Amino acid sequence: ENVSLPFKLYCLTVMTLVAATYTVALRYTRTVETELYFSTTAVCITEVIKLFLSVGILAKETGSLARLITSLKENVFGSPTELLKLSVPSLVYALQNNMAFVALSNLDAAVYQVTYQLKIPCTALCTVLMLNRTLSKLQWFSVFMLCGGVTLVQWKPAQATKVQVEQNPWLGFGAIAVAVLCSGFAGVYFEKVLKSSDTSLWVRNIQMYLSGIVVTLFGVYMSDGAQVLEKGFFYGYTYYVWFVIFLASVGGLYTSVVVKYTDNIMKGFSAAAAIVLSTVASVILFGLQITVTFSLGALLVCISIYLYGLPRQDTTKIQPSETKSSKERLATV
């Protein structure tokens, strides 16, 4: 785990740029192109590509085809327990995505954007409780500042629902609470699995992406099964759609690298920076108007990233559970 700071910064920077480019490209395919594709099939194809890329990187890591096959037999096909362990985050992420959809259907967009940012402090809380880490008061302050900054960046005035649709606010808030908890738990759970053994990162990725393919195929069947059978799995796919899928695949791989060598909180900061960059790009490409709230939010995001990055105790490794109890770690806040 002892990688250099420049390498960590490189991974965070690449992840930020890829995530920002992905957001802009996704917006283009969903708003500019006239023929929409099935997003569920795109997610499934993304998992397949991530699986093949991980196998390719593992092949380079092992050095020969024979060693690759041996590694896959021992760590993937010969370890059903490990496969089951890595299916947990896939299932939880699937639940999170569905709950986010339910929440957005029952809450105004502005309320949804504000409440969904609670996933940032929730991730920090899961990091403290599940990985036996401690965060300083300044780090907690920067986490909540980041939460507020991202909220302001994504805030769009007068977003009350214009169409008269029946909404259930209690159902919406309940769904958003489940989505927030799923986001924090799944990310930290995957980080714990990665850092609790010497198993290769790419083996872990293969294990997770195999279960991810099964979960996303089920999602295709449940959401768009009839239409996919009628129009085809790749209906509406263009070069831009494939570009979006490629970015999502590369972004997923870099996310696992960032989680392995930094932590989920830093991943959140990187994602926040990507939101700011993608919004600035949208101003240039789509004529989006910069508002005072966006400018203030972007400033808060930048300040929070700086504050969290100040010299501190290393939080990228899992600490022994006997060092402090959960209550003691929370008491330090």
Side-chain angles (χ1 to χ4, degrees):
E1 313 296 345
N2 296 322
V3 296
S4 63
L5 178 61
F7 177 76
K8 293 181 180 180
L9 293 176
Y10 165 77
C11 292
L12 287 167
T13 302
V14 172
M15 177 184 165
T16 301
L17 293 175
V18 171
T21 308
Y22 167 77
T23 302
V24 174
L26 180 61
R27 180 175 295 172
Y28 178 86
T29 61
R30 305 304 286 181
T31 59
V32 177
E33 293 194 336
T34 56
E35 193 171 45
L36 291 181
Y37 57 95
F38 298 118
S39 59
T40 53
T41 63
V43 172
C44 182
I45 293 299
T46 299
E47 293 296 304
V48 173
I49 293 176
K50 286 191 290 187
L51 174 64
F52 278 103
L53 289 175
S54 296
V55 171
I57 296 174
L58 180 62
K60 184 178 180 181
E61 189 178 80
T62 53
S64 69
L65 181 60
R67 291 177 181 176
L68 171 64
I69 295 174
T70 301
S71 178
L72 291 176
K73 284 182 178 179
E74 291 179 356
N75 298 301
V76 180
F77 304 108
S79 303
T81 303
E82 295 301 310
L83 275 176
L84 185 62
K85 184 188 299 184
L86 268 297
S87 68
V88 173
S90 298
L91 292 172
V92 175
Y93 278 131
L95 177 61
Q96 173 195 340
N97 293 332
N98 281 281
M99 289 297 101
F101 178 80
V102 172
L104 190 55
S105 301
N106 288 277
L107 296 173
D108 287 329
V111 177
Y112 169 84
Q113 292 288 8
V114 173
T115 53
Y116 197 48
Q117 302 317 316
L118 291 174
K119 65 182 180 179
I120 298 173
C122 182
T123 299
L125 182 62
C126 288
T127 298
V128 170
L129 296 178
M130 295 173 62
L131 302 185
N132 303 307
R133 294 178 182 160
T134 57
L135 296 180
S136 67
K137 292 181 180 179
L138 183 60
Q139 286 177 304
W140 277 109
F141 177 74
S142 63
V143 165
F144 281 99
M145 179 183 288
L146 178 72
C147 182
V150 174
T151 299
L152 290 176
V153 165
Q154 296 185 309
W155 182 275
K156 295 180 181 178
Q159 273 200 327
T161 306
K162 300 293 190 300
V163 182
Q164 295 299 318
V165 294
E166 186 176 351
Q167 292 184 325
N168 185 338
W170 288 108
L171 177 61
F173 284 120
I176 205 73
V178 174
V180 164
L181 291 173
C182 287
S183 177
F185 171 79
V188 176
Y189 177 91
F190 182 56
E191 181 181 352
K192 184 172 184 177
V193 172
L194 282 180
K195 296 180 177 179
S196 295
S197 70
D198 295 329
T199 304
S200 168
L201 167 64
W202 307 111
V203 169
R204 290 302 191 191
N205 277 342
I206 291 170
Q207 292 169 341
M208 187 170 71
Y209 297 148
L210 279 173
S211 57
I213 291 172
V214 175
V215 170
T216 53
L217 279 175
F218 181 74
V220 171
Y221 173 77
M222 293 298 295
S223 300
D224 302 306
Q227 289 183 298
V228 168
L229 287 176
E230 178 186 350
K231 298 181 178 180
F233 197 87
F234 299 103
Y235 172 78
Y237 278 48
T238 65
Y239 291 115
Y240 291 107
V241 175
W242 282 110
F243 181 58
V244 167
I245 291 173
F246 171 75
L247 288 174
S249 303
V250 174
L253 293 181
Y254 262 100
T255 297
S256 63
V257 173
V258 167
V259 170
K260 174 73 172 180
Y261 296 115
T262 61
D263 56 41
N264 267 281
I265 302 176
M266 288 305 299
K267 183 190 76 173
F269 278 84
S270 179
I275 291 173
V276 175
L277 286 178
S278 63
T279 305
V280 172
S282 297
V283 172
I284 301 172
L285 298 175
F286 306 116
L288 188 69
Q289 297 296 316
I290 289 289
T291 63
V292 175
T293 55
F294 171 82
S295 301
L296 178 59
L299 179 62
L300 289 178
V301 168
C302 293
I303 294 175
S304 64
I305 292 174
Y306 170 76
L307 291 178
Y308 191 84
L310 290 176
R312 65 196 188 280
Q313 180 183 358
D314 186 9
T315 62
T316 63
K317 297 181 176 64
I318 298 178
Q319 304 298 329
S321 57
E322 56 269 8
T323 55
K324 281 188 179 182
S325 67
S326 298
K327 290 183 179 179
E328 288 176 323
R329 292 194 301 276
L330 291 175
T332 61
V333 181

